[in-house]
Amino acid sequence: MSQPVKSEVIAQYKTHEKDTGSSDVQIALLTARINHLTEHLRTHRKDFHSRRGLLQMASRRRKLLDYVKSEDLAKYNDLLQKLNLRK
């Protein structure tokens, strides 16, 4: 992911001025990376090393989403809607 895209995602999901690592931002960044890697894997079907990384990122995002759900259900539902995620 390029630096301008990353800065854009952070700016959109930050909760305060210097926020770069809150759960919301981490989930949004992982979602952007997952979407980018999914496009890569559509053209490079046999790239199993990248596929493993994709599965790890999806697992990490799922764990962060579970944490947000346990802390604040409204924020969880808002994130799912903003990021167009299922569930």
Side-chain angles (χ1 to χ4, degrees):
M1 179 180 350
S2 64
Q3 188 61 36
V5 172
K6 187 173 181 177
S7 300
E8 211 173 281
V9 171
I10 290 172
Q12 186 176 1
Y13 289 95
K14 65 183 179 183
T15 55
H16 55 82
E17 175 107 14
K18 296 186 177 189
D19 183 14
T20 57
S22 67
S23 298
D24 300 354
V25 172
Q26 289 182 52
I27 291 167
L29 286 173
L30 281 169
T31 300
R33 288 180 66 196
I34 288 169
N35 292 339
H36 177 74
L37 198 52
T38 302
E39 291 301 315
H40 167 79
L41 288 172
R42 285 201 175 112
T43 57
H44 302 91
R45 297 189 187 281
K46 295 187 177 184
D47 188 356
F48 297 110
H49 288 84
S50 294
R51 188 176 310 275
R52 181 175 185 268
L54 173 68
L55 291 173
Q56 288 175 337
M57 283 189 271
S59 175
R60 190 176 318 142
R61 181 178 69 180
R62 179 77 256 154
K63 288 175 187 175
L64 283 166
L65 281 168
D66 288 343
Y67 168 75
V68 171
K69 185 177 180 180
S70 70
E71 294 296 315
D72 188 358
L73 189 60
K75 186 193 288 188
Y76 171 77
N77 290 326
D78 188 41
L79 260 177
L80 290 183
Q81 191 173 29
K82 280 184 183 177
L83 295 171
N84 296 325
L85 297 176
R86 289 183 285 171
K87 209 173 190 183

